[in-house]
């Protein structure tokens, strides 16, 4: 997919129905694996009342690549859970190609090496989440192996780093669409606090590891700026 200014829109295509059915099965980390062990760090930190800064920090002696991999899965689960709540709303079908994106931009979708095409925001989200699920269900890309060393040989490759970068950028775009076009709906469902909490955790992690290009952040800068300020303020408090 690609990111373009809104004034570069192409001739719209016919809208397609969203693929999601509203039933979402979260990705799990198999017990006894590297993924499950790293996932437990975050659960224990937040469960014990630790700060988000502490929860996103790389545990001593652990692989940064594996840490990012585990969080990619957890953040995918967060976003998918939020989207599943509203994915069957008939209102989503009213969006035409090019509609529903953050002000001033349009995210287009491309399958494989195909040319990027204009789709509606709900369809873009469905495609992103389906694509991410396909990557994470592929054991050669996201191993959940009992042999930690074997899993690390995958996580520590340039190809995996590139894949994770793409996943985090696309998850950020999904958040951008949700905040731009569906925040009111989630507010009415009393899910806005959960959305805000998930996005804050996501942004703290992305800031900690420099996972988002500034160009991607621009459409949500008003929302991201105070979160980043909180991150840096808390970081200074921890390291002081």
């Amino acid at each position: 997919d690609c990111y373009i200014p809104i004034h570069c829109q192409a001739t719209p295509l016919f809208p397609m129905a969203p693929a999601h059915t509203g039933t979402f099965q979260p990705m799990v980390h198999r017990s006894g694996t590297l993924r499950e062990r790293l996932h437990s760090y975050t659960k224990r930190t937040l469960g014990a009342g630790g700060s988000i800064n502490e929860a996103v920090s790389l545990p001593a002696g652990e692989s940064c690549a594996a840490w990012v991999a585990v969080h990619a899965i957890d953040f995918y689960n967060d976003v998918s859970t939020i989207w599943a709540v509203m994915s069957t709303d008939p209102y989503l079908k009213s969006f035409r190609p090019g509609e529903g994106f953050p002000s001033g931009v349009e995210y287009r979708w491309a399958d494989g090496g195909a040319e990027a095409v204009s789709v509606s925001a709900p369809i873009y989200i469905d495609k992103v989440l389906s694509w991410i699920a396909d990557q994470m269900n592929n054991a050669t890309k996201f191993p959940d192996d009992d042999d930690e060393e074997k899993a690390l040989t995958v996580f520590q490759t340039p190809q995996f780093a590139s894949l994770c970068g793409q996943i985090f950028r696309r998850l950020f775009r999904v958040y951008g669409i949700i905040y731009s076009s569906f925040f009111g709906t989630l507010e009415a469902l009393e899910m806005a606090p959960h959305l805000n909490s998930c996005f804050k955790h996501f942004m703290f992690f992305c800031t900690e590891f420099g996972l988002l290009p500034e160009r991607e952040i621009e459409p949500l800068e008003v929302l991201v700026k105070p979160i980043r300020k909180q991150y840096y303020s808390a970081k200074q408090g921890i390291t002081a």
Side-chain angles (χ1 to χ4, degrees):
D1 57 334
C2 67
Y3 166 112
I4 60 171
I6 203 70
H7 62 266
C8 294
Q9 282 189 57
T11 303
L13 305 178
F14 290 107
M16 299 177 288
H20 275 284
T21 62
T23 56
F24 164 68
Q25 295 297 321
M27 300 278 178
V28 297
H29 307 288
R30 221 161 37 83
S31 179
T33 63
L34 170 65
R35 277 174 35 183
E36 192 273 337
R37 183 167 62 77
L38 293 179
H39 171 72
S40 69
Y41 277 113
T42 302
K43 284 184 65 177
R44 286 199 305 269
T45 302
L46 293 176
S51 71
I52 298 180
N53 282 77
E54 292 169 327
V56 302
S57 295
L58 178 67
E62 298 292 353
S63 161
C64 182
W67 187 240
V68 171
V70 167
H71 279 79
I73 295 168
D74 293 342
F75 292 137
Y76 162 80
N77 284 340
D78 287 344
V79 172
S80 295
T81 301
I82 292 167
W83 185 243
V85 170
M86 54 184 302
S87 63
T88 56
D89 190 331
Y91 168 64
L92 302 185
K93 296 180 181 179
S94 67
F95 287 84
R96 296 192 58 80
E99 294 181 345
F101 298 98
S103 178
V105 297
E106 177 190 355
Y107 303 135
R108 293 183 179 180
W109 184 259
D111 286 311
E115 182 180 352
V117 297
S118 181
V119 296
S120 70
I123 291 173
Y124 181 83
I125 291 178
D126 284 338
K127 287 184 175 294
V128 163
L129 297 181
S130 295
W131 174 82
I132 293 176
D134 287 344
Q135 310 310 306
M136 292 179 174
N137 283 320
N138 184 334
T140 65
K141 295 181 177 180
F142 272 83
D144 199 16
D145 204 284
D146 292 328
D147 184 344
E148 291 196 7
E149 291 302 318
K150 186 176 179 181
L152 286 172
T153 60
V154 174
F155 293 146
Q156 293 175 338
T157 62
Q159 294 82 0
F160 188 78
S162 176
L163 175 62
C164 270
Q166 195 171 15
I167 288 171
F168 276 89
R169 288 193 299 274
R170 287 179 169 179
L171 286 175
F172 179 79
R173 292 178 179 188
V174 171
Y175 272 119
I177 292 168
I178 290 173
Y179 273 106
S180 298
S181 297
F182 305 111
F183 184 76
T185 302
L186 290 173
E187 218 171 16
L189 294 170
E190 298 184 347
M191 282 195 64
H194 178 65
L195 170 66
N196 293 337
S197 177
C198 289
F199 184 61
K200 181 178 179 179
H201 189 183
F202 176 80
M203 282 308 308
F204 269 45
F205 190 85
C206 289
T207 305
E208 177 85 5
F209 296 100
L211 294 169
L212 295 173
E214 289 301 314
R215 180 169 168 268
E216 285 287 345
I217 291 172
E218 288 174 7
L220 280 186
E221 189 173 4
V222 172
L223 189 63
V224 168
K225 191 174 180 179
I227 295 177
R228 278 177 155 183
K229 185 176 180 181
Q230 290 176 37
Y231 165 85
Y232 288 117
S233 296
K235 194 78 173 175
Q236 288 170 359
I238 290 171
T239 58

